[in-house]
Amino acid sequence: MSRVIGIDLGTTNSCVAVLEGEQATIIPNAEGNRTTPSIVAITKNGDRLVGDAAKRQLTVNVDRTIASIKREMGTAYRKRIDGKDYSPQEISAIILSKLRADAENYLGEPVHDAVITVPAYFDDSQRQATKDAGKIAGLNVLRIINEPTSAALAYGLDNGQAQKILVYDLGGGTFDVSVIEIGDHVIEVLATAGDNHLGGDDFDERLVQYVIKSFKKETRINLEKDITAVQRIREACEEAKKELSSTLQTHINLPFITVVKNEPKHLDMLITRELFNELTDDLVKRTDGPVNQALRDAGISAGSLDKVLLVGGSTRIPAVMDEVKRITGKELSKNLNPDECVAMGAAIQGGKLSGGLTVTNKVNDILLMDVTPLSLSIETLGGIANVLIPRNSPIPTRVSKIFTTAGNFQRDVEVKVYQGERKYTRDNKLLGNFRLSGIKRALAGVPQIEVTFDLDVNGILKVSAKDLGRGVEQQIVITSSTNLSEEEIHRAREDAMRYEEETQGNKENMDIWNEAEAYVYKVENQLEVQSQKLDKAQIKKIRRDLEYLKKLVCRTDADRITDIEAGNIKDAYRQLQESAMILG
C-alpha cells in the first residue's frame, strides 16, 4: 500500500502531512510554505490557480476567484465561470489536487490514499460532499475524521497519560468543540458541539463593514457596490486582525481606494484592539453555548478538564483566548501549532490505516473512538422526529427499531430521514427519503417494519427498511439532493484528469522555456568573460545561435507556450548547447 497522506481541508488555509516513522511531518507546498490558502482562481485562458497564486487574483479577478468554499459544502451552491457551473465539491477537488501534487513531489511517488478532516459539526451531506471532492481529485478517501479529534490524536501520540481534554477549534469558517478522554492507548470522544457558520471570516466581515460605514460617514462615498474596493478592504482587514493579535493598534491604509469625478480617494483608518473587540464581542460569546453543551453532554465540569487545546488560526485572537480561559478556568495548552495539528493527526490516522512497515507500534496501538455530532431520526405520525441514533453516540454504530403502519391496509410507507435535535422534523434537516412498497395488507398497527440505521466511521449513513411479515426490504445510502450523483462525480473526475494531463504538458513546455531562458543568460555572461580566449569564428557561431534562441524565448509567452513553439525552442537550445560547449 502506498503512503497515506493526511489533509486538513480548511476554510481559509489547507495543510497536508504524512507519517514518517513515529512523527507526523508537514509537507511544504511547491512555493515552500507549510499551509496553502484554500482559494481557487480560473484565469481567462482556462488555467486553474490554487493557493497564493489564486489569492493574488482576488483583487483584480474577483468574479473568477473562489474563497471559503468549505462553507458551501453539502449545499446547492454553484459558481458559474465561462459557462460552466462549478460545485463546491469540484472547487474543493481542485484544492485537493494541488495538495496531492505537492505531496507526490515531496515523497517522490504517486499518492492515492488520504484521510481528510472535517468540522465535527458537519452533517451527513457535508461529509459525503467532502468524500466526493476527494474522489474527483483522484484520492481514495480512507477515512473522514473530525478536526478536533484529529488534533487530539496529534496531541495524544506523545501525551498518552490518562487525561480529559477540551479541544476548542475556531477556524476560518467553522467552530467546533470536543471533550476527549485520552486513556491507555485509547482516544475517546465523549461529546462534541459547534457552529458551522462561525469563524475567522465573520470576524473579518465585522471589520469590513465598520471600515465601509466609517468611510461613507466621512466622505459620503459608498464603497459597497465596488467589488474591487471591497476586496481590497477585506484583505486589509484580515491583515489588521492578525496584527492586532500582537499589537494594540494598527492602520488600514489603502491609497486610491476609488475615484470620484476624476479625483482619487484614499482610505486611512486607525484600528485599535479595543475597537476590534467591541465589534466582535458577540461572535466570541457565541462559542460559550457549544462549549457548555459539550461539557454537559460529556457529563463533566470544566474543573475536571486537564488541558484545553486551541486549534485553528482564529484562536490567536486575544479576546478568544481570554474567553476560553474565563469559561473553562484553565490555562491554555500551546503544545501544538493550531494551523498544522489537524493535518498531523490525520496523517497519524492515515499511517495507522495503511498498515505499512513504516507504521510503528506506537501508532498502531492507538484506538480512536469518535462520535456523531447530531441526532439521526425518522419522521413518524404528526411530523415527530423519532430518534434512532442520539447525538454523541460512538461510531461506527448500527441501530434497529420496529415501526408499524398508521392506516388500514396500507401497502407502502415513506421513510424520511432527518438530522437535528428538534422535536418536529420540520425544524431539522432532511437527509433523504425512500419508499418501502409491497407491505402485506393488514389493519393499522399490525405490520412490523424494521428500520435500521448503519452509521460508518466516516459519519455517513445507510438506512434500510424491512417488512418482517413478507421479507420485503428497501435500502439506500443517504445522500443529500444537493450532492453530486455518481455520474456527475465521474464526469468531474474525467474533467480533472484531462486538465491534469493538459497541465502536465504545459508544465513540460514551460520547463523547456525556463531552462532556455536561464541558459541564454548564462551563455551571455560566459561570453562576456571568455570572449578574449576564443577566435572570431567560434564567437560568431555562438552569438548567432544565442540570438536565435533568445529571439524564440522573447516572442513566446511561457504561460501559453504551444507544443510547436516548445519544440522550436528545444531544438535551438540544443544547438546553442553544442556551439557553446567550448565555453565550459
Side-chain angles (χ1 to χ4, degrees):
M1 189 176 187
S2 62
R3 305 283 285 277
V4 180
I5 57 174
I7 296 176
D8 173 12
L9 184 60
T11 305
T12 307
N13 293 293
S14 294
C15 188
V16 59
V18 69
L19 190 68
E20 296 187 320
E22 293 188 353
Q23 298 296 323
T25 302
I26 297 297
I27 295 175
N29 60 24
E31 296 73 38
N33 301 318
R34 294 168 70 86
T35 60
T36 299
S38 302
I39 302 173
V40 173
I42 311 295
T43 66
K44 291 179 180 178
N45 63 352
D47 289 338
R48 298 173 177 183
L49 306 179
V50 183
D52 289 308
K55 192 171 185 178
R56 290 192 290 269
Q57 296 279 314
L58 269 172
T59 303
V60 297
N61 201 11
V62 182
D63 292 337
R64 308 174 70 89
T65 307
I66 310 109
S68 299
I69 194 60
K70 185 173 177 177
R71 283 192 159 183
E72 305 297 341
M73 292 297 274
T75 72
Y77 172 89
R78 296 292 185 271
K79 177 69 174 181
R80 193 168 185 81
I81 301 175
D82 295 333
K84 175 177 169 56
D85 288 327
Y86 290 87
S87 67
Q89 293 94 315
E90 291 172 286
I91 296 164
S92 297
I94 295 172
I95 299 168
L96 290 172
S97 295
K98 155 76 170 164
L99 300 176
R100 192 196 76 196
D102 289 336
E104 289 178 336
N105 289 336
Y106 177 85
L107 297 172
E109 62 183 58
V111 170
H112 304 292
D113 302 312
V115 172
I116 302 179
T117 65
V118 296
Y121 230 53
F122 255 25
D123 62 29
D124 185 272
S125 61
Q126 292 169 307
R127 290 168 189 270
Q128 186 65 58
T130 303
K131 199 168 185 180
D132 291 345
K135 193 182 296 185
I136 294 169
L139 289 168
N140 175 30
V141 183
L142 298 177
R143 183 72 54 86
I144 297 290
I145 183 174
N146 291 338
E147 288 165 5
T149 309
S150 187
L153 189 55
Y155 170 80
L157 188 64
D158 295 315
N159 296 274
Q161 67 269 27
Q163 55 187 300
K164 290 184 176 71
I165 65 173
L166 183 139
V167 181
Y168 183 103
D169 182 358
L170 184 62
T174 59
F175 170 64
D176 290 307
V177 58
S178 292
V179 179
I180 297 172
E181 184 169 15
I182 299 176
D184 185 18
H185 302 297
V186 176
I187 296 177
E188 181 181 3
V189 181
L190 302 179
T192 191
D195 186 334
N196 279 345
H197 290 278
L198 176 63
D201 287 355
D202 301 289
F203 286 76
D204 295 344
E205 189 60 28
R206 288 293 173 84
L207 198 50
V208 168
Q209 292 304 315
Y210 171 81
V211 170
I212 290 174
K213 289 176 182 176
S214 299
F215 187 77
K216 183 179 179 180
K217 185 177 180 181
E218 181 183 332
T219 65
R220 295 186 179 179
I221 299 171
N222 185 3
L223 297 174
E224 283 185 304
K225 294 182 180 179
D226 186 338
I227 57 175
T228 300
V230 171
Q231 185 54 44
R232 288 182 66 194
I233 292 170
R234 181 166 282 108
E235 290 177 4
C237 286
E238 183 183 358
E239 286 305 311
K241 176 189 69 177
K242 292 176 182 177
E243 290 172 13
L244 290 173
S245 293
S246 56
T247 62
L248 293 177
Q249 63 181 38
T250 185
H251 270 85
I252 292 178
N253 189 350
L254 296 172
F256 302 98
I257 190 65
T258 190
V259 176
V260 178
K261 295 180 180 178
N262 295 323
E263 182 183 348
K265 299 294 180 181
H266 314 295
L267 189 156
D268 187 8
M269 205 170 291
L270 175 69
I271 305 293
T272 65
R273 184 187 292 180
E274 182 181 7
L275 170 63
F276 180 71
N277 289 347
E278 287 177 10
L279 295 172
T280 59
D281 181 64
D282 63 311
L283 297 178
V284 175
K285 293 291 197 299
R286 265 174 65 183
T287 68
D288 294 2
V291 170
N292 292 328
Q293 179 187 315
L295 289 169
R296 282 196 306 271
D297 289 348
I300 66 171
S301 65
S304 302
L305 295 170
D306 296 291
K307 284 277 192 312
V308 176
L309 299 185
L310 297 183
V311 179
S314 298
T315 57
R316 291 189 173 94
I317 298 172
V320 169
M321 290 191 280
D322 291 343
E323 185 67 9
V324 179
K325 286 180 187 177
R326 187 189 69 78
I327 57 180
T328 63
K330 298 288 180 181
E331 283 301 312
L332 310 178
S333 175
K334 297 180 181 177
N335 292 23
L336 299 174
N337 184 320
D339 296 321
E340 300 176 356
C341 60
V342 172
M344 292 170 67
I348 293 168
Q349 181 66 14
K352 179 177 172 61
L353 292 174
S354 71
L357 294 176
T358 58
V359 181
T360 64
N361 288 334
K362 190 174 182 181
V363 173
N364 269 328
D365 287 347
I366 291 179
L367 176 63
L368 181 62
M369 299 173 64
D370 215 333
V371 298
T372 180
L374 297 163
S375 298
L376 294 160
S377 59
I378 68 166
E379 184 178 67
T380 53
L381 192 64
I384 301 296
N386 195 306
V387 175
L388 273 75
I389 300 179
R391 74 171 187 265
N392 292 318
S393 296
I395 56 173
T397 187
R398 182 183 173 92
V399 177
S400 295
K401 203 169 184 178
I402 303 296
F403 296 90
T404 189
T405 53
N408 293 328
F409 310 117
Q410 194 172 330
R411 297 304 306 274
D412 55 40
V413 293
E414 186 174 21
V415 180
K416 291 185 176 181
V417 183
Y418 288 85
Q419 192 165 32
E421 308 307 318
R422 305 294 288 274
K423 178 180 178 180
Y424 294 102
T425 55
R426 65 172 180 264
D427 300 318
N428 294 324
K429 180 173 182 177
L430 176 66
L431 294 181
N433 61 296
F434 63 96
R435 187 168 293 276
L436 176 66
S437 303
I439 299 171
K440 187 176 180 180
R441 287 171 57 85
L443 295 174
V446 172
Q448 289 192 310
I449 300 167
E450 182 184 52
V451 176
T452 301
F453 279 16
D454 193 346
L455 192 63
D456 69 14
V457 290
N458 299 310
I460 294 173
L461 181 66
K462 296 178 183 177
V463 179
S464 63
K466 184 177 182 179
D467 175 12
L468 298 181
R470 298 188 66 180
V472 178
E473 186 174 6
Q474 178 67 269
Q475 59 183 359
I476 61 166
V477 176
I478 293 295
T479 56
S480 169
S481 60
T482 58
N483 282 343
L484 303 180
S485 66
E486 282 299 321
E487 183 182 347
E488 289 172 317
I489 291 171
H490 180 69
R491 188 163 57 246
R493 173 62 191 141
E494 286 186 336
D495 287 345
M497 290 174 66
R498 188 162 50 249
Y499 179 78
E500 283 181 15
E501 290 171 0
E502 292 172 358
T503 302
Q504 182 60 32
N506 290 342
K507 184 178 184 301
E508 290 172 1
N509 290 343
M510 287 174 67
D511 287 344
I512 291 169
W513 189 94
N514 287 327
E515 285 181 28
E517 184 191 41
Y519 193 63
V520 163
Y521 178 75
K522 178 182 177 182
V523 171
E524 283 180 331
N525 285 342
Q526 286 181 325
L527 264 180
E528 190 173 322
V529 173
Q530 301 188 46
S531 60
Q532 303 294 332
K533 303 174 184 178
L534 303 176
D535 62 46
K536 291 183 179 180
Q538 289 174 319
I539 293 174
K540 185 176 181 181
K541 180 168 175 30
I542 293 172
R543 287 200 185 280
R544 185 182 66 235
D545 293 342
L546 175 64
E547 290 303 317
Y548 179 59
L549 178 57
K550 189 175 182 180
K551 181 180 177 182
L552 289 177
V553 169
C554 289
R555 72 185 187 192
T556 308
D557 185 345
D559 293 331
R560 301 182 184 183
I561 184 171
T562 66
D563 291 342
I564 294 174
E565 290 170 332
N568 292 336
I569 289 175
K570 193 172 184 180
D571 291 341
Y573 180 22
R574 191 180 296 114
Q575 181 63 41
L576 178 59
Q577 282 180 311
E578 291 175 4
S579 60
M581 190 180 297
I582 193 171
L583 292 174

